[in-house]
Amino acid sequence: MRRRLSYLLLCALLLGGETTPSAAPAGTLDSLVQDLDGKVDLALQGRTLRRCDLALALGAGSGVTPRLVQAVRGLVVGRMTRKGLRTVGELPRDGDSRQRRRRARAGGYELLLDLELLVVEGHLHVRGELAPVDRVLWRDIVQPDRGDLSHVSASVRVDAEVRSYLGQPVASIVRFSPHSMPLGKDDALSLAAGDVDGDGRTEVAVLHLRSLQLLRQRSGGGFATVHTAKLGQTAAASRPRRAHGSLLVGDVDGDGKSELLVRSSELERCVELAWDGRALVARRELDGFPLTALPAAKGRAVVFGRMLPGQDLFSAAALTTLPPLASVPEWQKGLPSSFYALRHGTVAARGGRQHYIAVVDGSGAFSVFLGDQGTPLLTTRAGAAFDLVDLDDDGALEIIASGVEGPDVEDQIVVSRLTRAGQLRLVWRSAGLGGQVVDVAHGDLDGNGKLEVVALIRQRGGAVTLMVLN
C-alpha cells in the first residue's frame, strides 16, 4: 500500500520547531534546497506531475548530523509538494540504491528522489539521483534499462547557520597571512569575487578603465588570468576628477548563473557581462553605476547610483533599483546626501539571515544600518574601501575597511567585529601597505570552505598589487 505524506505531517515538517530553522527568508539551507529544486525541475520536464507519486530518501553522509538531515528534509519535502505532484512520501535511506528503488516501486511510487547529505572540505553537499521506478510493460520491453532520470546536486559553504546544526565550534580569527601579487603599473579601479564561470571556484574580477580582467588563484599560489574582456561602449560625456569604477558579481536575474555588472567613469553606461562557456560576453547596457545588490524574490535587486557632476561622490537622492522596489527602504532615507560607497552584507545564523547596509561619505563618516531600519545601528569613521562579511562564520558581522587618514598617509586594512551591543571591536590591523587601498572584497578563493580577503593596493609609484589575506 502506498505510504502517503498527510497534510498534518507536512505541516509539522514545514512549521514545527527543529525542522524549520530555515523558514526565515534567504537562509543558507534555503539556498541549498532552492538550487537543488531548480535541477529537479529540469529533470522532471516532460512528466505529468499530477499523475506522479514521488518518494524521498534522504540520508546522512560524512560529517552530517541527524538534526541537519531533519532540517534539510523538511525543506526538500516542502519544495517537492509545491510542484503539484500527486503525493510526496518518504522512505528510509538504508540498503543500496537498487533496494531503495524496489521499495519505492513496491510502495506504488513512480519516482524516487534518492539523496545524500555530506560535508567535504568546508562545504555542505546534497547529491543523488531522481530515478523512475514505475513499470510499464510495453516501455520496459522497448527500453529495458532506462537508467537514472537525472543526477542532481547542490552545495553551499559551511557557514554559521550550517555549523549550528553540526555542533561545530565557530572559527576564530587569530591573524591574517598576507600574500601579494603585482599587477604592474595599472589603472585598476575596483574588484569583486564570485563564481563567474559556474565551476564551483571563486574568481576575482578586476575592473580597469576600459576592460575587465578575470583572475583565478593557482593551487601553488599567485593568480592566473582566465580572461580579459574589452569594454568598448560609448565614452562618458563628463567625468569626475578622480577615475572611479564599480563592479558587482552575482546571480542578478535568478537563473542560477552569475552575471557581472561593470562601469568605469570613462564609460557612458553600465554593461552586464555573462560567461558563455569560453568568454565573457555583453548582454545589455544599463543606466547608472552598480553599487550593491539586495536580496529579492528572484535573483537580486541591484542598486544603481549617479555621480554628482565632476565629483567622485554619489547622490543619495538619485538612487534607483532594478527591478524597482515597491517602496523606498527606510535605510535609504537615512543616507547622507552624498557618499563614496554603499555595500550590502549578510550574516547567516540558525534563525535566518541578518542584512546590513553600510555607507561612507566624503568626510569619512561610516554608518551601518541593520535590516530596513532608518536609523544607523552605529556611526564611526572608515576609509572609502570597505566590505561586510562574517569571516569566521560565528554569526557576527566583520567590517573590513581601509584607513581614514587620507591619500597622503600610508594606508592600512582594519578588520573589526560588530558586537551584539552595536559596537565595533578591533580584530586585526595590517602594517602599512606602502600605498592606498583601492578596493576590498572576499571569497573562498582556494576552495577550502574558508573565506579570504582580497584587496587592490595602489603603491605610491603607480604600481598596483593584488593582496590576499587568509
Side-chain angles (χ1 to χ4, degrees), residues 20-103:
T20 60
S22 296
T28 305
L29 297 185
D30 297 85
S31 298
L32 175 75
V33 175
Q34 181 179 6
D35 188 9
L36 178 76
D37 185 51
K39 294 172 182 176
V40 171
D41 277 340
L42 293 176
L44 288 173
Q45 287 181 354
R47 286 204 171 243
T48 304
L49 299 187
R50 68 177 183 277
R51 298 178 182 175
C52 288
D53 303 284
L54 180 142
L56 169 67
L58 176 63
S62 173
V64 173
T65 63
R67 290 168 58 199
L68 182 56
V69 174
Q70 186 182 23
V72 173
R73 182 185 292 120
L75 292 171
V76 174
V77 168
R79 287 275 181 176
M80 296 302 107
T81 302
R82 290 196 291 272
K83 292 183 184 302
L85 292 154
R86 185 162 55 192
T87 59
V88 176
E90 292 186 63
L91 294 176
R93 199 176 188 273
D94 49 13
D96 59 26
S97 60
R98 289 187 179 182
Q99 292 172 325
R100 291 191 290 274
R101 291 187 191 188
R102 284 198 295 268
R103 286 199 300 272

Side-chain angles (χ1 to χ4, degrees), residues 37-340:
D37 185 51
K39 294 172 182 176
V40 171
D41 277 340
L42 293 176
L44 288 173
Q45 287 181 354
R47 286 204 171 243
T48 304
L49 299 187
R50 68 177 183 277
R51 298 178 182 175
C52 288
D53 303 284
L54 180 142
L56 169 67
L58 176 63
S62 173
V64 173
T65 63
R67 290 168 58 199
L68 182 56
V69 174
Q70 186 182 23
V72 173
R73 182 185 292 120
L75 292 171
V76 174
V77 168
R79 287 275 181 176
M80 296 302 107
T81 302
R82 290 196 291 272
K83 292 183 184 302
L85 292 154
R86 185 162 55 192
T87 59
V88 176
E90 292 186 63
L91 294 176
R93 199 176 188 273
D94 49 13
D96 59 26
S97 60
R98 289 187 179 182
Q99 292 172 325
R100 291 191 290 274
R101 291 187 191 188
R102 284 198 295 268
R103 286 199 300 272
R105 184 182 305 120
Y109 294 99
E110 284 78 34
L111 297 167
L112 172 65
L113 183 56
D114 192 2
L115 302 173
E116 182 182 36
L117 202 62
L118 68 161
V119 174
V120 179
E121 295 184 349
H123 290 80
L124 173 64
H125 303 268
V126 57
R127 63 189 185 190
E129 58 193 27
L130 180 65
V133 297
D134 55 329
R135 286 286 180 87
V136 178
L137 181 60
W138 65 266
R139 185 191 61 199
D140 292 343
I141 291 174
V142 174
Q143 192 178 12
D145 184 12
R146 288 173 294 141
D148 296 330
L149 183 61
S150 182
H151 291 278
V152 292
S153 65
S155 63
V156 291
R157 199 177 59 82
V158 174
D159 60 9
E161 179 184 337
V162 179
R163 284 179 184 274
S164 71
Y165 290 98
L166 299 177
Q168 295 179 353
V170 297
S172 177
I173 297 178
V174 177
R175 63 183 176 86
F176 287 104
S177 299
H179 305 275
S180 297
M181 170 192 169
L183 295 180
K185 287 199 172 183
D186 201 274
D187 56 3
L189 301 175
S190 181
L191 87 164
D195 182 9
V196 173
D197 55 8
D199 65 351
R201 297 181 58 186
T202 298
E203 287 81 35
V204 174
V206 179
L207 174 63
H208 307 271
L209 284 173
R210 288 186 171 272
S211 66
L212 183 81
Q213 184 180 11
L214 199 60
L215 303 169
R216 178 179 294 154
Q217 191 171 35
R218 296 191 184 100
S219 57
F223 285 83
T225 298
V226 177
H227 179 68
T228 299
K230 299 296 183 182
L231 306 176
Q233 309 105 303
T234 306
S238 62
R239 301 171 185 133
R241 290 187 294 270
R242 181 179 68 96
H244 180 84
S246 57
L247 164 64
L248 289 179
V249 177
D251 181 11
V252 174
D253 56 11
D255 65 351
K257 301 177 182 179
S258 289
E259 292 81 35
L260 298 94
L261 298 178
V262 298
R263 182 178 173 185
S264 82
S265 54
E266 292 289 305
L267 304 174
E268 190 65 31
R269 305 189 76 196
C270 167
V271 63
E272 179 183 284
L273 303 172
W275 187 260
D276 70 351
R278 295 180 300 175
L280 289 171
V281 295
R283 281 185 173 176
R284 56 177 174 166
E285 293 185 2
L286 300 163
D287 290 328
F289 287 81
L291 300 181
T292 194
L294 309 174
K298 181 180 180 182
R300 300 195 291 175
V302 180
V303 179
F304 288 90
R306 296 182 184 277
M307 283 189 164
L308 296 173
Q311 302 183 49
D312 53 357
L313 292 168
F314 294 98
S315 168
L319 293 182
T320 58
T321 308
L322 187 67
L325 299 178
S327 60
V328 177
E330 291 300 316
W331 57 260
Q332 185 172 334
K333 301 174 185 177
L335 294 179
S337 60
S338 62
F339 57 87
Y340 271 123

